[in-house]
């Protein structure tokens, strides 16, 4: 009997052990699958984010090229020049008169907060509470608050230097991107700014989120209250050119329809005056993007930062000639208090030999398509004529011509170009694990810098740590370069609910980082890990399907190379190879196949025409539009919307049929493709439902929205440009 009991126990133990091993193996496989899903989802979203920034820079450089090399007819000149309105130069006193708020009346029915200046702590608290309850600040108070902020910022240095003396802990926050719930949660957990609780906010306060202007007004209020204890660094999104694409411009004009244009102009001034960096106890450097092998804090400390209204292009010299003064259309309101005689403009190009002006009068945008698509010898000749190649990381940065007979101007230009590259690197760069420094081709601006560059920079400036932001991290933060570089990101749920945590860091006198993580959405606390990953994956795959559809023509050509007998069928393996050859994302397409290919397959073969029918989500009213034009719309939707916003000078949300055609003409040159007038007319008639001769921009863009509106990257998606070779390596990893 004892023997049988012993055998039974041994058998039960063996079964339990085997069950434990099976459960452990299953769990490891489950974790590996979840990690794979998380990584490819993350890569999809980051590809969208970075390619959007790259497309914005390319568009701006293209427009800059036309402005520097082309004097078209008046209508086209106005179309192109509208993006360069930052080149207006006035004395500060004149601008202050333009931004005067005293003639703006506050109606009796206004129920929002009332401000009196100078502000006190109670008013700041009331403002925070009002924004928490979705109430809006009146435009009079907005302009008054912004004007006081602008005056204060003009007195601040380029690099703020602060101390942790008296046992003060300094709180540093990363990107907020218009997500007010994150800022409110930080204040709830850590307390509002005060003399005892100093803060550093490290740029990218605006864009993407829906509450950017509220975040700015809160931060500016506390800056006015505690100018020695609240510090704001500039980010790459504190740039009116970037705001055109990523939603901040649209947000302000939507919330302040009457005075939104003036508010945006004043914010443009404020952004250019934001400090560039902060140093704590002479040991910790806080900046938004990063450094390069040429970054020099001494140079950054003495630049005239306000000249760089947009970091995407170096400032131009001004010339007293009437031609230069009339080269850019003014966006000053007609009722502005600035006398026209006192308004000075900066030329958009340095002096260079040009043919007679008459020779340009009859030229159109199409005449310059060959100038954009140059041959190798022509490109070499162009580069030879340029003073120097701007190697800061902008793959298509406009290069400035230097007058051969003005050595002083040449020296000044080179010095200014060097300063600009320093600022560009500071706002746009990212760290990389390899040694060295190389252009950041993924974003299109700044550079990638390695651990050796970090070591040299810290030793040169006697520092011990760099805190930067600029990149979304799943945990809200990430150390790299032997823990000497800390990336900090404070916008939780950035890509989708549950996609990432936010974080902020506290530094005491010992300068040891103490990190606090959080997620602002209540929904994330109700979801399991699997549900969070699934939700984020679903959103990413929707965006990916749109990208696949927008590349339909290229994909069909790639499929036909494998389908030599024109059967309309390809093997699933050939499908994966063809998709990667076109999209160049480095994604594990074989693993994604079950998510992207839902149509029935026979004998492991896929009908790719049927697959495209599943991908396409087209309104019936659009079915008669030429398919190539539709694909162009889907693929370059964000670029097209950016141009529309530029064309809509009165911010009405409408553009005329003529402007609609001019926009498409500009886009066709930018994309180097032929778009017929008939195709544009058919498209315009389709969109103009009420036949009033105007195009509603929002309705036009909504007609071509095929992805989930909940995705936070809807405002900035574009063509994919990123790579993820590590994911393809993982695909064959036996552990996964």
């Amino acid at each position: 009997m004892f023997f049988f009991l012993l055998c039974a126990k041994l058998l039960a133990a063996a079964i339990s052990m085997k069950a434990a091993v099976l459960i452990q193996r299953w769990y490891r496989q489950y974790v590996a699958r979840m990690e794979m899903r998380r990584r490819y989802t993350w890569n999809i979203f980051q590809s969208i984010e970075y390619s959007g920034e790259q497309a914005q820079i390319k568009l701006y450089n293209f427009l800059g090229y036309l402005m520097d090399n082309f004097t078209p007819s008046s209508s086209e000149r106005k179309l192109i020049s509208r993006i360069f309105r930052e080149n207006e130069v006035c004395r500060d006193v004149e601008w202050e008169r333009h931004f005067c708020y005293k003639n703006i009346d506050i109606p009796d029915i206004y129920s929002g907060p009332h401000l009196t200046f100078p502000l006190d702590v109670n008013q700041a608290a009331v403002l925070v509470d009002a924004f928490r309850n979705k109430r809006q600040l009146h435009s009079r108070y907005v302009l008054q608050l912004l004007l006081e902020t602008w005056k204060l910022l003009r007195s601040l240095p380029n690099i703020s230097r602060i101390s942790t003396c008296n046992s003060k802990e300094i709180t540093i926050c990363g990107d907020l991107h218009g997500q007010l719930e994150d800022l409110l949660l930080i204040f709830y957990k850590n307390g509002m700014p005060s003399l005892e609780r100093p803060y550093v906010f490290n740029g990218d306060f605006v864009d993407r989120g829906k509450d950017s202007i509220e975040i700015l007004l809160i931060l500016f209020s506390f800056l006015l209250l505690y100018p020695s204890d609240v510090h704001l660094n500039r980010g790459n999104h504190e740039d009116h050119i970037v705001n055109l694409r990523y939603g901040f411009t649209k947000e302000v004009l939507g919330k302040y329809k009457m005075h939104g244009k003036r508010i945006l102009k004043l914010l443009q001034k404020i952004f250019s005056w934001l400090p560039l960096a902060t140093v704590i106890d002479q040991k910790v450097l806080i900046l938004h993007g990063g450094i390069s092998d040429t970054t020099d804090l001494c140079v950054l400390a003495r630049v005239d930062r306000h000249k760089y209204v947009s970091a995407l292009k170096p400032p131009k010299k001004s010339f007293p000639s009437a031609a230069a003064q009339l080269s850019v259309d003014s966006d000053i309101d007609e009722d502005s208090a600035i006398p026209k005689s006192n308004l000075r403009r900066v030329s958009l190009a340095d002096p260079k030999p040009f043919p007679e002006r008459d020779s340009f009068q009859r030229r159109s945008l199409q005449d310059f398509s060959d100038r954009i698509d140059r041959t190798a010898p022509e490109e070499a000749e162009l580069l030879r004529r340029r003073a120097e190649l701007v190697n800061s990381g902008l793959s298509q940065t406009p290069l400035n011509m230097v007058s051969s007979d003005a050595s002083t101007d040449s020296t000044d230009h080179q010095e200014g170009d060097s300063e600009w590259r320093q600022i560009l690197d500071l706002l746009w760069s990212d760290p990389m694990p390899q040694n060295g420094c190389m252009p950041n081709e993924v974003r299109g601006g700044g550079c990638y810098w390695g651990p050796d560059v970090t070591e040299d920079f810290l030793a040169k400036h006697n520092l011990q740590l760099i805190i930067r932001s600029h990149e979304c991290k799943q945990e809200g933060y990430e150390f790299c370069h032997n823990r000497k570089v800390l990336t900090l990101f404070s916008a939780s749920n950035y890509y989708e609910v549950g996609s990432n945590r936010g974080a902020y860091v506290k530094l005491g006198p010992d300068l040891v980082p103490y990190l606090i993580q959080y997620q602002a959405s209540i929904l994330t606390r109700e979801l399991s890990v699997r549900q969070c990953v699934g939700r984020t994956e679903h959103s990413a795959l929707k965006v990916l399907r749109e990208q696949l559809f927008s590349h339909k023509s290229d994909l069909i050509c790639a499929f036909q190379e494998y389908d030599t007998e024109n059967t309309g069928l390809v093997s699933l393996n050939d499908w994966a190879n063809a998709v990667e050859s076109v999209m160049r994302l480095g994604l594990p397409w074989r693993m994604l196949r079950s998510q992207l290919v839902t149509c029935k397959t026979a004998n492991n073969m896929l009908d790719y025409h049927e697959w495209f029918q599943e991908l396409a989500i087209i309104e019936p009213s659009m079915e008669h539009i030429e398919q190539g034009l539709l694909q162009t719309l889907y693929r370059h939707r964000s670029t097209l919307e950016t141009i529309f916003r530029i064309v809509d000078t009165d911010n009405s949300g409408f553009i005329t049929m003529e402007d609609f055609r001019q926009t498409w003409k500009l886009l066709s040159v930018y994309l180097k493709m032929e778009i017929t007038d008939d195709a544009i007319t058919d498209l315009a008639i389709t969109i103009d439902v009420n036949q009033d001769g105007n195009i509603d921009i929002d309705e036009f863009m909504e007609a071509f929205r095929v992805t989930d509106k909940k995705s936070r990257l809807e405002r900035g998606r574009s063509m994919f440009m990123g790579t993820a070779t590590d994911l393809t390596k993982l695909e064959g990893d036996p552990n996964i």
Side-chain angles (χ1 to χ4, degrees):
M1 186 67 179
F2 175 77
F3 175 75
F4 285 109
L5 289 174
L6 180 61
C7 289
K9 287 183 178 180
L10 291 174
L11 181 61
I15 293 174
S16 299
M17 182 64 70
K18 186 175 182 179
V21 170
L22 289 173
I23 292 172
Q24 188 180 53
R25 183 182 301 170
W26 171 86
Y27 180 73
R28 287 176 178 172
Q29 291 176 347
Y30 169 78
V31 171
R33 285 194 299 270
M34 294 293 289
E35 176 63 12
M36 171 63 84
R37 291 170 64 190
R38 182 193 70 80
R39 292 181 70 172
Y40 75 64
T41 298
W42 197 260
N43 178 253
I44 290 171
F45 278 130
Q46 283 203 327
S47 297
I48 297 167
E49 180 180 14
Y50 294 163
S51 65
E53 293 176 345
Q54 186 183 79
Q56 177 72 4
I57 292 174
K58 286 182 177 180
L59 175 62
Y60 185 72
N61 292 339
F62 166 74
L63 296 172
Y65 175 84
L66 291 181
M67 286 298 295
D68 288 348
N69 296 275
F70 181 33
T71 307
S73 61
S74 59
S75 61
E76 292 174 343
R77 178 72 180 190
K78 290 178 180 178
L79 179 71
I80 299 170
S81 67
R82 286 168 187 169
I83 198 170
F84 294 100
R85 288 174 290 180
E86 81 275 12
N87 290 281
E88 296 163 349
V89 178
C90 291
R91 291 190 295 272
D92 289 341
V93 174
E94 295 166 348
W95 280 118
E96 289 176 15
R97 287 203 300 268
H98 172 62
F99 298 131
C100 182
Y101 52 85
K102 295 179 181 179
N103 59 345
I104 302 175
D105 296 325
I106 300 176
D108 295 334
I109 60 173
Y110 172 69
S111 60
H114 292 265
L115 302 181
T116 57
F117 292 82
L119 290 174
D120 57 35
V121 177
N122 292 332
Q123 290 187 87
V126 168
L127 189 63
V128 172
D129 188 63
F131 291 155
R132 180 187 289 111
N133 295 310
K134 308 301 180 184
R135 284 184 290 167
Q136 188 169 304
L137 186 64
H138 194 274
S139 56
R140 175 191 173 102
Y141 295 131
V142 172
L143 282 169
Q144 190 173 5
L145 179 59
L146 294 180
L147 197 55
E148 294 298 320
T149 302
W150 183 41
K151 293 176 183 177
L152 173 61
L153 288 174
R154 279 147 52 189
S155 67
L156 299 181
N158 292 346
I159 301 177
S160 305
R161 298 186 180 272
I162 57 180
S163 173
T164 59
C165 63
N166 302 322
S167 299
K168 280 186 179 180
E169 278 191 327
I170 299 175
T171 303
I172 302 111
C173 300
D175 297 29
L176 289 167
H177 277 302
Q179 298 184 194
L180 181 60
E181 61 269 25
D182 287 298
L183 180 62
L184 296 178
L185 183 57
I186 293 171
F187 286 170
Y188 173 78
K189 294 169 70 72
N190 193 63
M192 291 189 185
S194 66
L195 295 174
E196 295 74 28
R197 197 176 293 109
Y199 274 82
V200 177
F201 295 93
N202 198 25
D204 277 13
F205 317 118
V206 302
D207 280 334
R208 301 193 190 280
K210 64 182 185 300
D211 299 313
S212 296
I213 186 64
E214 286 80 8
I215 286 179
L216 284 179
L217 295 174
I218 289 173
L219 297 184
F220 292 161
S221 297
F222 284 110
L223 176 66
L224 293 173
L225 276 172
Y226 309 109
S228 299
D229 296 281
V230 174
H231 305 274
L232 309 180
N233 289 342
R234 185 177 184 177
N236 66 307
H237 278 261
E238 278 67 64
D239 187 315
H240 72 108
I241 301 300
V242 178
N243 300 153
L244 279 169
R245 187 185 193 97
Y246 291 99
F248 180 56
T249 299
K250 183 178 178 181
E251 177 192 333
V252 173
L253 295 175
K255 291 179 178 178
Y256 295 98
K257 293 181 172 60
M258 185 172 296
H259 302 286
K261 190 174 181 181
R262 224 190 309 182
I263 290 171
L264 284 172
K265 191 65 181 181
L266 183 49
L267 282 169
Q268 183 177 319
K269 298 290 180 184
I270 288 174
F271 288 166
S272 70
W273 277 103
L274 286 170
L276 302 174
T278 302
V279 176
I280 300 177
D281 290 347
Q282 306 298 323
K283 290 295 181 181
V284 178
L285 174 65
I286 306 169
L287 42 71
H288 179 72
I291 60 173
S292 70
D293 52 4
T294 61
T295 300
D296 189 332
L297 294 185
C298 295
V299 173
L300 289 170
R302 66 172 183 262
V303 301
D304 293 329
R305 66 181 186 271
H306 66 280
K307 294 193 304 183
Y308 302 89
V309 179
S310 173
L312 298 182
K313 192 175 183 181
K316 300 293 186 178
K317 279 185 60 180
S318 60
F319 299 96
S321 66
Q325 292 178 5
L326 298 175
S327 62
V328 182
D329 295 326
S330 173
D331 72 342
I332 301 297
D333 297 338
E334 292 182 0
D335 59 350
S336 169
I338 304 177
K340 296 293 182 181
S341 59
N342 293 339
L343 188 63
R344 303 190 307 277
R345 312 275 173 77
V346 176
S347 172
L348 294 173
D350 289 331
K352 53 194 168 194
F354 245 171
E356 291 298 323
R357 184 178 180 86
D358 292 342
S359 65
F360 290 94
Q361 291 301 314
R362 292 178 295 278
R363 302 192 65 174
S364 68
L365 284 169
Q366 294 294 344
D367 296 329
F368 275 77
S369 59
D370 61 328
R371 297 285 298 275
I372 306 300
D373 192 14
R374 294 183 292 266
T375 64
E378 290 170 339
E379 185 72 25
E381 174 63 17
L382 176 65
L383 294 179
R384 186 188 66 78
R385 290 188 290 110
R386 303 296 188 179
E388 62 177 341
L389 176 63
V390 180
N391 55 12
S392 64
L394 277 174
S395 58
Q396 295 189 16
T397 302
L399 306 176
N400 297 315
M401 297 293 290
V402 180
S403 177
S404 60
D405 59 349
S407 59
T408 303
D409 288 348
S410 176
T411 303
D412 292 342
H413 169 73
Q414 292 174 3
E415 182 179 353
D417 189 62
S418 174
E419 291 178 353
W420 166 65
R421 281 181 285 173
Q422 297 261 340
I423 292 177
L424 186 70
D425 289 340
L426 182 141
L427 297 179
W428 283 85
S429 296
D430 296 305
M432 65 178 181
Q434 302 85 9
N435 284 336
C437 188
M438 58 185 290
N440 191 332
E441 300 291 352
V442 175
R443 288 189 190 268
C447 69
Y448 285 116
W449 88 94
D452 57 331
V453 177
T454 295
E455 292 286 350
D456 294 343
F457 178 83
L458 294 178
K460 176 181 177 181
H461 295 283
N462 194 26
L463 298 167
Q464 66 184 45
L465 177 67
I466 296 174
I467 298 178
R468 43 92 61 178
S469 302
H470 194 44
E471 285 184 284
C472 181
K473 299 297 180 182
Q474 190 171 31
E475 296 301 319
Y477 73 92
E478 183 179 272
F479 282 100
C480 64
H481 296 182
N482 300 317
R483 295 183 68 86
K484 293 183 178 179
V485 173
L486 169 62
T487 298
L488 191 65
F489 199 83
S490 298
S492 64
N493 308 302
Y494 179 62
Y495 294 131
E496 181 58 88
V497 173
S499 64
N500 67 284
R501 296 180 180 181
Y504 60 91
V505 65
K506 302 178 76 171
L507 287 180
D510 58 2
L511 298 181
V512 176
Y514 175 64
L515 288 146
I516 298 93
Q517 298 168 284
Y518 56 87
Q519 278 189 306
S521 175
I522 298 176
L523 182 60
T524 58
R525 295 193 285 271
E526 300 173 352
L527 298 177
S528 65
V529 173
R530 182 176 182 178
Q531 288 172 325
C532 282
V533 172
R535 184 187 180 97
T536 309
E537 179 188 44
H538 176 74
S539 181
L541 288 172
K542 275 202 160 192
V543 180
L544 184 57
R545 289 188 187 98
E546 177 183 357
Q547 297 301 315
L548 289 167
F549 172 73
S550 68
H551 289 78
K552 178 179 177 180
S553 299
D554 296 335
L555 286 169
I556 287 179
C557 291
F559 291 146
Q560 288 174 345
E561 291 183 7
Y562 291 97
D563 180 23
T564 55
E565 297 181 1
N566 295 322
T567 62
L569 302 174
V570 293
S571 69
L572 294 177
N573 188 58
D574 289 341
W575 171 86
N577 292 332
V579 171
E580 175 57 27
S581 69
V582 173
M583 305 301 292
R584 299 186 182 278
L585 291 177
L587 291 174
W589 295 105
R590 292 172 183 81
M591 194 191 77
L592 289 171
R593 188 174 58 197
S594 61
Q595 302 279 4
L596 297 173
V597 180
T598 57
C599 54
K600 294 181 180 180
T601 59
N603 300 323
N604 206 36
M605 301 295 286
L606 168 69
D607 185 329
Y608 50 86
H609 294 292
E610 182 182 349
W611 178 60
F612 277 117
Q613 290 177 358
E614 287 189 354
L615 287 178
I617 307 175
I618 303 178
E619 295 291 334
S621 60
M622 298 291 170
E623 291 179 348
H624 70 283
I625 302 298
E626 197 269 321
Q627 289 297 303
L629 186 58
L630 274 178
Q631 291 176 43
T632 301
L633 275 166
Y634 281 113
R635 192 184 304 188
H636 302 284
R637 180 179 177 279
S638 295
T639 298
L640 184 62
E641 183 172 8
T642 301
I643 299 176
F644 279 155
R645 298 294 174 194
I646 297 168
V647 172
D648 181 24
T649 52
D650 60 356
N651 305 310
S652 64
F654 296 88
I655 58 174
T656 65
M657 287 291 189
E658 180 59 29
D659 281 342
F660 184 80
R661 291 187 176 88
Q662 290 287 343
T663 300
W664 274 102
K665 187 182 295 186
L666 180 63
L667 187 67
S668 66
V669 179
Y670 173 61
L671 299 178
K672 303 174 216 174
M673 63 179 293
E674 184 70 25
I675 302 177
T676 66
D677 290 338
D678 290 341
I680 296 174
T681 300
D682 288 344
L683 186 62
I685 293 173
T686 301
I687 297 299
D688 186 19
V689 179
N690 60 1
Q691 298 182 349
D692 64 349
N694 291 313
I695 303 294
D696 185 317
I697 298 174
D698 290 330
E699 288 185 4
F700 179 84
M701 303 318 299
E702 280 297 318
F704 299 96
R705 187 185 297 277
V706 299
T707 60
D708 190 351
K709 294 181 183 179
K710 295 178 182 177
S711 171
R712 295 190 184 276
L713 288 180
E714 279 292 296
R715 293 172 178 163
R717 67 188 189 282
S718 179
M719 288 184 294
F720 286 109
M721 300 296 290
T723 59
T725 54
D726 58 322
L727 294 180
T728 54
K729 293 177 183 176
L730 279 175
E731 188 177 2
D733 192 329
N735 296 324
I736 294 180

